[in-house]
Amino acid sequence: MVFVRKVPTASGATAVQIAERVGDRDNVIEHVGSARTPAELVALLEVARARLHPGQGELELTLPAGRVGRGVITGKRCALLWQVLTGGYRELGFDAVGDDAFEQMVLARIVEPTSKADSVRVLEEIGVEHASLRTMFRSLKRCQDRGYRDTLAAACYEHASTAGDLSLVLYDVTTLYFEAEDEDDLRKVGYSKERRVDPQVLVGLLVDRGGFPLQVGCFEGNKAETATIIPIVTAFAARHSIEGMVVVADAGMLSAANLRELDEAGLRFIVGSRVTKAPIDLASHFRWHGDAFTDGQVIDTLTPRRGRNTDNDPALRAEPVWEPGEHEGSWRAVWAYSAKRAARDARTLTLQENRAKAVVAGEKAARTPRFVKTSNGARTLDEASLARARRLEGLKGYVTNIPVELMPAGEVVSSYHDLWQVEASFRMSKSDLRARPIFHHSKDAIEAHLTIVFAALAISRRLQDQTGMSIKKVVRALRPIQQITLTIGGHPHTAADPLTDAARDILTATGHDSATH
């Protein structure tokens, strides 16, 4: 009987041999090679088994005299990972760009976010033939000259309109900073939630209600966030001839000009309101019911477009129902109360109160915190402001121009809560895809960088939706599974790591055939 056997060697490797059982002894017919890693062992076993099958030509069992030389691995490739990534790229229609170097930079960023120059290393490590670094940098220039972002955005719209729901879109803004000291026309020092003083740019991102990216825009770092929403949203609606779309944004976008322009453009909006507006909007409630709210209570009322509320009469117990033609000086306002939010607000206010008291008492030197007022050089606790804040614990407001007959108050609230999807996309772009810091200097290079991140984000969200796994887990599951080329006796052979359960699930979810692995 002829069979394949594995034998440990003195050096710690595992020898793979073809042997024949004669009586109670195993006579070695051929030493196929020695493996030092699990992948090498799988490859050698595959070669040895192939030699046992009839009709294999040069692999037939009749062997030339003498020992065959040790096998050498001449190539390794993360073929499965690359198959899934390129599949996602093409399924979204991004191959319409027609630029292999651009595609390689996008997919390399998903595998391992790094600089453009270091993308070459990433591609080499996963065994992908790639363009030269010079060609990649030329691709960045082509990206701007040929309008790659518009092509990608059109493909994203096509995907979202087919697979998703574009009746509601979400918008938010973030900042991307630079490892640089000097400002220019685009990179400016501006407001940073992280209190950074580096030059930065503002990035506006529009996504569907599932978080799939639709459009991205870049603005000067010192531009007001409120001034970014109108250019992106109106351009998106005009480009795709969309009517009746609902735009959802947080309170940072709340400005009289923004709401007026969205309304004039025929767009519906739901925007977070600032809690300081509650006493004006809820004047009737506070007069007739005081500070009493029940958990989950929703109050549908009005908020002034600017200045005081002239459409809501606190003398009337009932809240008015907003009508576009009747209340031209107001927008619809929905206020919701949550006991859980009230408890969280109470803890925050207590911390702020204690900090203010410590500053007033001279126990803590700091910038003047909330609830501290200064008069004639003396600091005192602003008890009136603190009391007003306590009164509004648990309230969250939403401003909209959608009539109640088209969207009930509860749906207004739930639609706004979908904003976590755009925040999740921003977190993904900043962490998983490492959109920042940016090391480019020219405006065109910065815009091209954002286009690459935009494309990588779209593919990542698509794969996450298909697999139910984060993009990090997808890459982590597929990258170790390699296809190996092994040369033995001058003949090339291929083998692959066995599929894991996670890899098999990913292939099934993304529509790839695991049998071809």
Side-chain angles (χ1 to χ4, degrees), residues 175-184 186-190 196-202 221-222 437-438:
T175 56
L176 299 179
Y177 67 87
F178 294 79
E179 296 289 350
E181 295 181 0
D182 299 327
E183 297 179 286
D184 53 34
L186 180 63
R187 299 177 298 169
K188 300 282 189 181
V189 175
R196 302 190 68 94
V197 293
D198 304 287
Q200 64 182 24
V201 295
L202 278 180
N222 61 353
I438 306 177

PDB file of all heavy atoms in Angstrom, residues 175-184 186-190 196-202 221-222 437-438:
ATOM      1  N   THR A 175     -14.199  67.189  11.618  1.00  0.00           N
ATOM      2  CA  THR A 175     -12.965  67.886  11.249  1.00  0.00           C
ATOM      3  C   THR A 175     -11.854  66.862  11.047  1.00  0.00           C
ATOM      4  O   THR A 175     -11.798  65.839  11.725  1.00  0.00           O
ATOM      5  CB  THR A 175     -12.530  68.881  12.348  1.00  0.00           C
ATOM      6  OG1 THR A 175     -12.399  68.189  13.604  1.00  0.00           O
ATOM      7  CG2 THR A 175     -13.555  69.987  12.493  1.00  0.00           C
ATOM      8  N   LEU A 176     -10.973  67.139  10.095  1.00  0.00           N
ATOM      9  CA  LEU A 176      -9.771  66.343   9.869  1.00  0.00           C
ATOM     10  C   LEU A 176      -8.576  67.269   9.994  1.00  0.00           C
ATOM     11  O   LEU A 176      -8.504  68.295   9.313  1.00  0.00           O
ATOM     12  CB  LEU A 176      -9.797  65.692   8.485  1.00  0.00           C
ATOM     13  CG  LEU A 176     -10.949  64.715   8.197  1.00  0.00           C
ATOM     14  CD1 LEU A 176     -10.828  64.180   6.777  1.00  0.00           C
ATOM     15  CD2 LEU A 176     -10.958  63.576   9.197  1.00  0.00           C
ATOM     16  N   TYR A 177      -7.658  66.913  10.867  1.00  0.00           N
ATOM     17  CA  TYR A 177      -6.530  67.812  11.109  1.00  0.00           C
ATOM     18  C   TYR A 177      -5.290  67.371  10.330  1.00  0.00           C
ATOM     19  O   TYR A 177      -5.223  66.273   9.789  1.00  0.00           O
ATOM     20  CB  TYR A 177      -6.218  67.877  12.603  1.00  0.00           C
ATOM     21  CG  TYR A 177      -5.693  66.604  13.209  1.00  0.00           C
ATOM     22  CD1 TYR A 177      -4.333  66.301  13.190  1.00  0.00           C
ATOM     23  CD2 TYR A 177      -6.555  65.685  13.806  1.00  0.00           C
ATOM     24  CE1 TYR A 177      -3.857  65.128  13.740  1.00  0.00           C
ATOM     25  CE2 TYR A 177      -6.083  64.512  14.362  1.00  0.00           C
ATOM     26  CZ  TYR A 177      -4.729  64.236  14.324  1.00  0.00           C
ATOM     27  OH  TYR A 177      -4.249  63.071  14.867  1.00  0.00           O
ATOM     28  N   PHE A 178      -4.294  68.255  10.300  1.00  0.00           N
ATOM     29  CA  PHE A 178      -3.058  68.024   9.549  1.00  0.00           C
ATOM     30  C   PHE A 178      -1.861  68.123  10.484  1.00  0.00           C
ATOM     31  O   PHE A 178      -1.859  68.908  11.430  1.00  0.00           O
ATOM     32  CB  PHE A 178      -2.893  69.075   8.435  1.00  0.00           C
ATOM     33  CG  PHE A 178      -3.930  68.973   7.361  1.00  0.00           C
ATOM     34  CD1 PHE A 178      -5.205  69.488   7.556  1.00  0.00           C
ATOM     35  CD2 PHE A 178      -3.649  68.352   6.159  1.00  0.00           C
ATOM     36  CE1 PHE A 178      -6.169  69.390   6.576  1.00  0.00           C
ATOM     37  CE2 PHE A 178      -4.606  68.252   5.179  1.00  0.00           C
ATOM     38  CZ  PHE A 178      -5.867  68.771   5.375  1.00  0.00           C
ATOM     39  N   GLU A 179      -0.846  67.316  10.177  1.00  0.00           N
ATOM     40  CA  GLU A 179       0.423  67.428  10.889  1.00  0.00           C
ATOM     41  C   GLU A 179       1.217  68.546  10.220  1.00  0.00           C
ATOM     42  O   GLU A 179       2.183  68.316   9.505  1.00  0.00           O
ATOM     43  CB  GLU A 179       1.183  66.100  10.832  1.00  0.00           C
ATOM     44  CG  GLU A 179       0.484  64.951  11.534  1.00  0.00           C
ATOM     45  CD  GLU A 179       0.506  65.091  13.049  1.00  0.00           C
ATOM     46  OE1 GLU A 179       1.233  65.982  13.543  1.00  0.00           O
ATOM     47  OE2 GLU A 179      -0.195  64.327  13.727  1.00  0.00           O
ATOM     48  N   ALA A 180       0.769  69.765  10.414  1.00  0.00           N
ATOM     49  CA  ALA A 180       1.404  70.923   9.785  1.00  0.00           C
ATOM     50  C   ALA A 180       1.252  72.132  10.701  1.00  0.00           C
ATOM     51  O   ALA A 180       0.388  72.164  11.575  1.00  0.00           O
ATOM     52  CB  ALA A 180       0.763  71.203   8.425  1.00  0.00           C
ATOM     53  N   GLU A 181       2.115  73.112  10.506  1.00  0.00           N
ATOM     54  CA  GLU A 181       2.067  74.311  11.340  1.00  0.00           C
ATOM     55  C   GLU A 181       1.409  75.482  10.628  1.00  0.00           C
ATOM     56  O   GLU A 181       0.747  76.312  11.252  1.00  0.00           O
ATOM     57  CB  GLU A 181       3.484  74.712  11.760  1.00  0.00           C
ATOM     58  CG  GLU A 181       4.172  73.674  12.664  1.00  0.00           C
ATOM     59  CD  GLU A 181       5.560  74.123  13.080  1.00  0.00           C
ATOM     60  OE1 GLU A 181       5.968  75.235  12.651  1.00  0.00           O
ATOM     61  OE2 GLU A 181       6.231  73.384  13.821  1.00  0.00           O
ATOM     62  N   ASP A 182       1.586  75.570   9.320  1.00  0.00           N
ATOM     63  CA  ASP A 182       1.133  76.743   8.581  1.00  0.00           C
ATOM     64  C   ASP A 182      -0.240  76.518   7.966  1.00  0.00           C
ATOM     65  O   ASP A 182      -0.580  75.420   7.507  1.00  0.00           O
ATOM     66  CB  ASP A 182       2.136  77.089   7.475  1.00  0.00           C
ATOM     67  CG  ASP A 182       3.509  77.416   8.044  1.00  0.00           C
ATOM     68  OD1 ASP A 182       3.560  77.975   9.156  1.00  0.00           O
ATOM     69  OD2 ASP A 182       4.519  77.091   7.387  1.00  0.00           O
ATOM     70  N   GLU A 183      -1.037  77.582   7.941  1.00  0.00           N
ATOM     71  CA  GLU A 183      -2.346  77.558   7.299  1.00  0.00           C
ATOM     72  C   GLU A 183      -2.206  77.906   5.819  1.00  0.00           C
ATOM     73  O   GLU A 183      -1.186  78.427   5.375  1.00  0.00           O
ATOM     74  CB  GLU A 183      -3.284  78.560   7.968  1.00  0.00           C
ATOM     75  CG  GLU A 183      -3.587  78.279   9.419  1.00  0.00           C
ATOM     76  CD  GLU A 183      -4.502  79.324  10.010  1.00  0.00           C
ATOM     77  OE1 GLU A 183      -4.030  80.455  10.259  1.00  0.00           O
ATOM     78  OE2 GLU A 183      -5.683  79.025  10.191  1.00  0.00           O
ATOM     79  N   ASP A 184      -3.243  77.596   5.054  1.00  0.00           N
ATOM     80  CA  ASP A 184      -3.332  78.052   3.670  1.00  0.00           C
ATOM     81  C   ASP A 184      -4.795  78.347   3.370  1.00  0.00           C
ATOM     82  O   ASP A 184      -5.595  78.491   4.294  1.00  0.00           O
ATOM     83  CB  ASP A 184      -2.733  77.026   2.691  1.00  0.00           C
ATOM     84  CG  ASP A 184      -3.323  75.634   2.865  1.00  0.00           C
ATOM     85  OD1 ASP A 184      -4.527  75.536   3.191  1.00  0.00           O
ATOM     86  OD2 ASP A 184      -2.596  74.641   2.674  1.00  0.00           O
ATOM     87  N   LEU A 186      -7.183  76.516   2.351  1.00  0.00           N
ATOM     88  CA  LEU A 186      -8.116  75.462   2.762  1.00  0.00           C
ATOM     89  C   LEU A 186      -7.886  75.025   4.202  1.00  0.00           C
ATOM     90  O   LEU A 186      -8.819  74.915   4.994  1.00  0.00           O
ATOM     91  CB  LEU A 186      -7.994  74.256   1.827  1.00  0.00           C
ATOM     92  CG  LEU A 186      -8.902  73.057   2.123  1.00  0.00           C
ATOM     93  CD1 LEU A 186     -10.376  73.449   1.986  1.00  0.00           C
ATOM     94  CD2 LEU A 186      -8.569  71.885   1.185  1.00  0.00           C
ATOM     95  N   ARG A 187      -6.644  74.769   4.540  1.00  0.00           N
ATOM     96  CA  ARG A 187      -6.315  74.281   5.888  1.00  0.00           C
ATOM     97  C   ARG A 187      -6.236  75.462   6.852  1.00  0.00           C
ATOM     98  O   ARG A 187      -5.321  76.282   6.783  1.00  0.00           O
ATOM     99  CB  ARG A 187      -4.989  73.514   5.866  1.00  0.00           C
ATOM    100  CG  ARG A 187      -5.013  72.293   4.953  1.00  0.00           C
ATOM    101  CD  ARG A 187      -3.666  71.598   4.909  1.00  0.00           C
ATOM    102  NE  ARG A 187      -2.631  72.471   4.376  1.00  0.00           N
ATOM    103  CZ  ARG A 187      -1.331  72.197   4.417  1.00  0.00           C
ATOM    104  NH1 ARG A 187      -0.913  71.084   5.003  1.00  0.00           N
ATOM    105  NH2 ARG A 187      -0.449  73.022   3.894  1.00  0.00           N
ATOM    106  N   LYS A 188      -7.217  75.545   7.722  1.00  0.00           N
ATOM    107  CA  LYS A 188      -7.317  76.667   8.648  1.00  0.00           C
ATOM    108  C   LYS A 188      -7.480  76.160  10.082  1.00  0.00           C
ATOM    109  O   LYS A 188      -8.064  75.095  10.310  1.00  0.00           O
ATOM    110  CB  LYS A 188      -8.532  77.542   8.303  1.00  0.00           C
ATOM    111  CG  LYS A 188      -8.515  78.149   6.907  1.00  0.00           C
ATOM    112  CD  LYS A 188      -7.602  79.349   6.846  1.00  0.00           C
ATOM    113  CE  LYS A 188      -7.753  80.081   5.512  1.00  0.00           C
ATOM    114  NZ  LYS A 188      -6.840  81.240   5.429  1.00  0.00           N
ATOM    115  N   VAL A 189      -6.997  76.922  11.015  1.00  0.00           N
ATOM    116  CA  VAL A 189      -7.267  76.637  12.421  1.00  0.00           C
ATOM    117  C   VAL A 189      -8.685  77.106  12.709  1.00  0.00           C
ATOM    118  O   VAL A 189      -9.043  78.251  12.427  1.00  0.00           O
ATOM    119  CB  VAL A 189      -6.265  77.353  13.348  1.00  0.00           C
ATOM    120  CG1 VAL A 189      -6.654  77.136  14.814  1.00  0.00           C
ATOM    121  CG2 VAL A 189      -4.853  76.847  13.088  1.00  0.00           C
ATOM    122  N   GLY A 190      -9.505  76.246  13.234  1.00  0.00           N
ATOM    123  CA  GLY A 190     -10.901  76.579  13.515  1.00  0.00           C
ATOM    124  C   GLY A 190     -11.382  75.860  14.748  1.00  0.00           C
ATOM    125  O   GLY A 190     -10.601  75.254  15.495  1.00  0.00           O
ATOM    126  N   ARG A 196      -8.013  70.932  19.435  1.00  0.00           N
ATOM    127  CA  ARG A 196      -6.735  70.943  18.730  1.00  0.00           C
ATOM    128  C   ARG A 196      -6.501  72.330  18.148  1.00  0.00           C
ATOM    129  O   ARG A 196      -7.435  73.063  17.833  1.00  0.00           O
ATOM    130  CB  ARG A 196      -6.722  69.901  17.612  1.00  0.00           C
ATOM    131  CG  ARG A 196      -6.979  68.474  18.072  1.00  0.00           C
ATOM    132  CD  ARG A 196      -6.713  67.502  16.943  1.00  0.00           C
ATOM    133  NE  ARG A 196      -5.292  67.467  16.635  1.00  0.00           N
ATOM    134  CZ  ARG A 196      -4.441  66.575  17.152  1.00  0.00           C
ATOM    135  NH1 ARG A 196      -4.874  65.669  18.008  1.00  0.00           N
ATOM    136  NH2 ARG A 196      -3.172  66.594  16.818  1.00  0.00           N
ATOM    137  N   VAL A 197      -5.237  72.657  17.967  1.00  0.00           N
ATOM    138  CA  VAL A 197      -4.868  73.951  17.374  1.00  0.00           C
ATOM    139  C   VAL A 197      -4.155  73.736  16.043  1.00  0.00           C
ATOM    140  O   VAL A 197      -3.523  74.646  15.521  1.00  0.00           O
ATOM    141  CB  VAL A 197      -3.985  74.765  18.336  1.00  0.00           C
ATOM    142  CG1 VAL A 197      -4.773  75.188  19.561  1.00  0.00           C
ATOM    143  CG2 VAL A 197      -2.740  73.982  18.738  1.00  0.00           C
ATOM    144  N   ASP A 198      -4.255  72.538  15.492  1.00  0.00           N
ATOM    145  CA  ASP A 198      -3.648  72.254  14.191  1.00  0.00           C
ATOM    146  C   ASP A 198      -4.549  72.775  13.076  1.00  0.00           C
ATOM    147  O   ASP A 198      -5.772  72.851  13.240  1.00  0.00           O
ATOM    148  CB  ASP A 198      -3.477  70.739  14.007  1.00  0.00           C
ATOM    149  CG  ASP A 198      -2.673  70.104  15.127  1.00  0.00           C
ATOM    150  OD1 ASP A 198      -1.456  70.312  15.153  1.00  0.00           O
ATOM    151  OD2 ASP A 198      -3.282  69.413  15.968  1.00  0.00           O
ATOM    152  N   PRO A 199      -3.965  73.099  11.928  1.00  0.00           N
ATOM    153  CA  PRO A 199      -4.805  73.413  10.773  1.00  0.00           C
ATOM    154  C   PRO A 199      -5.706  72.231  10.458  1.00  0.00           C
ATOM    155  O   PRO A 199      -5.328  71.073  10.645  1.00  0.00           O
ATOM    156  CB  PRO A 199      -3.785  73.650   9.648  1.00  0.00           C
ATOM    157  CG  PRO A 199      -2.528  74.039  10.351  1.00  0.00           C
ATOM    158  CD  PRO A 199      -2.518  73.258  11.626  1.00  0.00           C
ATOM    159  N   GLN A 200      -6.902  72.517   9.980  1.00  0.00           N
ATOM    160  CA  GLN A 200      -7.872  71.455   9.746  1.00  0.00           C
ATOM    161  C   GLN A 200      -8.750  71.806   8.552  1.00  0.00           C
ATOM    162  O   GLN A 200      -8.715  72.913   8.028  1.00  0.00           O
ATOM    163  CB  GLN A 200      -8.746  71.260  10.985  1.00  0.00           C
ATOM    164  CG  GLN A 200      -9.601  72.477  11.326  1.00  0.00           C
ATOM    165  CD  GLN A 200     -10.432  72.298  12.587  1.00  0.00           C
ATOM    166  OE1 GLN A 200     -10.109  71.502  13.462  1.00  0.00           O
ATOM    167  NE2 GLN A 200     -11.512  73.046  12.684  1.00  0.00           N
ATOM    168  N   VAL A 201      -9.528  70.818   8.124  1.00  0.00           N
ATOM    169  CA  VAL A 201     -10.588  71.054   7.138  1.00  0.00           C
ATOM    170  C   VAL A 201     -11.879  70.516   7.735  1.00  0.00           C
ATOM    171  O   VAL A 201     -11.862  69.644   8.612  1.00  0.00           O
ATOM    172  CB  VAL A 201     -10.300  70.366   5.786  1.00  0.00           C
ATOM    173  CG1 VAL A 201      -9.086  70.965   5.118  1.00  0.00           C
ATOM    174  CG2 VAL A 201     -10.155  68.851   5.960  1.00  0.00           C
ATOM    175  N   LEU A 202     -12.991  71.075   7.273  1.00  0.00           N
ATOM    176  CA  LEU A 202     -14.303  70.553   7.652  1.00  0.00           C
ATOM    177  C   LEU A 202     -14.758  69.575   6.572  1.00  0.00           C
ATOM    178  O   LEU A 202     -14.599  69.852   5.371  1.00  0.00           O
ATOM    179  CB  LEU A 202     -15.328  71.685   7.759  1.00  0.00           C
ATOM    180  CG  LEU A 202     -15.377  72.507   9.043  1.00  0.00           C
ATOM    181  CD1 LEU A 202     -16.461  73.555   8.926  1.00  0.00           C
ATOM    182  CD2 LEU A 202     -15.625  71.622  10.244  1.00  0.00           C
ATOM    183  N   GLY A 221     -11.216  75.041   7.115  1.00  0.00           N
ATOM    184  CA  GLY A 221     -11.221  74.621   8.510  1.00  0.00           C
ATOM    185  C   GLY A 221     -11.859  75.599   9.465  1.00  0.00           C
ATOM    186  O   GLY A 221     -12.267  75.216  10.569  1.00  0.00           O
ATOM    187  N   ASN A 222     -11.940  76.879   9.081  1.00  0.00           N
ATOM    188  CA  ASN A 222     -12.549  77.875   9.976  1.00  0.00           C
ATOM    189  C   ASN A 222     -13.973  78.241   9.562  1.00  0.00           C
ATOM    190  O   ASN A 222     -14.545  79.199  10.067  1.00  0.00           O
ATOM    191  CB  ASN A 222     -11.685  79.131  10.023  1.00  0.00           C
ATOM    192  CG  ASN A 222     -11.532  79.801   8.655  1.00  0.00           C
ATOM    193  OD1 ASN A 222     -11.971  79.259   7.643  1.00  0.00           O
ATOM    194  ND2 ASN A 222     -10.898  80.968   8.630  1.00  0.00           N
ATOM    195  N   PRO A 437      -4.546  61.649  10.792  1.00  0.00           N
ATOM    196  CA  PRO A 437      -4.234  62.945  10.187  1.00  0.00           C
ATOM    197  C   PRO A 437      -3.939  62.804   8.691  1.00  0.00           C
ATOM    198  O   PRO A 437      -3.643  61.711   8.214  1.00  0.00           O
ATOM    199  CB  PRO A 437      -2.977  63.384  10.950  1.00  0.00           C
ATOM    200  CG  PRO A 437      -2.325  62.107  11.346  1.00  0.00           C
ATOM    201  CD  PRO A 437      -3.448  61.166  11.655  1.00  0.00           C
ATOM    202  N   ILE A 438      -4.032  63.916   7.983  1.00  0.00           N
ATOM    203  CA  ILE A 438      -3.759  63.935   6.547  1.00  0.00           C
ATOM    204  C   ILE A 438      -2.371  64.514   6.320  1.00  0.00           C
ATOM    205  O   ILE A 438      -2.021  65.535   6.895  1.00  0.00           O
ATOM    206  CB  ILE A 438      -4.812  64.774   5.798  1.00  0.00           C
ATOM    207  CG1 ILE A 438      -6.233  64.285   6.143  1.00  0.00           C
ATOM    208  CG2 ILE A 438      -4.596  64.687   4.302  1.00  0.00           C
ATOM    209  CD1 ILE A 438      -7.328  65.100   5.494  1.00  0.00           C
TER     210      ILE A 438
END
